[in-house]
Amino acid sequence: MRCAILYSYAKERAGPLKPGVDTVEEAVKTVVAPVYDRFHLVPVEILKYADRKVAELDRHVPSNVKKVSSQARSVVSDVRRDGVSGFAKTVYSKYEPTAEQCAVSAWRRLNQLPIFPHVTNAVLPKAAYCTEKYNEVVVSSAEKGYRVSNYLPLVPTEKIAKVFSQN
């Protein structure tokens, strides 16, 4: 039941992805509905028998498949415990240092290419200007009460500059 509530909550807030979600949902209903219609009146004993057979098959499932399944359960329990935004913050704080290291490493390698530093010197000031303007627009629209601005992230320009200047 909680999964259904979570699904409907996510579906309501899918924004521009909602038509795609509806299309996928209809496709799943088209496939699942005949199966459901056929088996929803099956006696409980037959379902118990099928459950035992699935348990027997479980012994033959590779361990990596079971590991992924347990990880998925862990993610679901974390989302239930912390909420979606709490879970997102946890994931962000956990993987942000790794992402920074990868970005710095890629930056170093790209700077070894002969033309890349010249292109960077030409493009970087304009990119910095555009990100500052973007951040200003998001902040000012939030101050004016536009609700969509609450969903737009700010570009952490100071942090980006700090990470790349240290390395």
Side-chain angles (χ1 to χ4, degrees), residues 69 92 96 137 150 167:
S69 176
Y92 176 78
E96 181 187 25
V137 168
N150 294 330
N167 296 297

Side-chain angles (χ1 to χ4, degrees), residues 44-109:
V44 175
E45 292 78 27
I46 294 175
L47 293 175
K48 286 181 182 178
Y49 173 78
D51 187 49
R52 284 192 302 273
K53 291 299 177 184
V54 168
E56 289 176 20
L57 287 173
D58 186 51
R59 289 182 284 178
H60 303 292
V61 173
S63 62
N64 58 349
V65 174
K66 290 179 184 179
K67 183 178 177 185
V68 169
S69 176
S70 68
Q71 289 172 340
R73 283 192 206 111
S74 172
V75 167
V76 170
S77 69
D78 289 349
V79 169
R80 284 183 184 161
R81 184 186 67 235
D82 301 334
V84 174
S85 63
F87 176 72
K89 288 176 185 175
T90 303
V91 169
Y92 176 78
S93 65
K94 184 176 179 181
Y95 292 108
E96 181 187 25
T98 305
E100 284 178 6
Q101 291 172 347
C102 291
V104 169
S105 175
W107 185 259
R108 285 184 184 155
R109 290 182 188 241

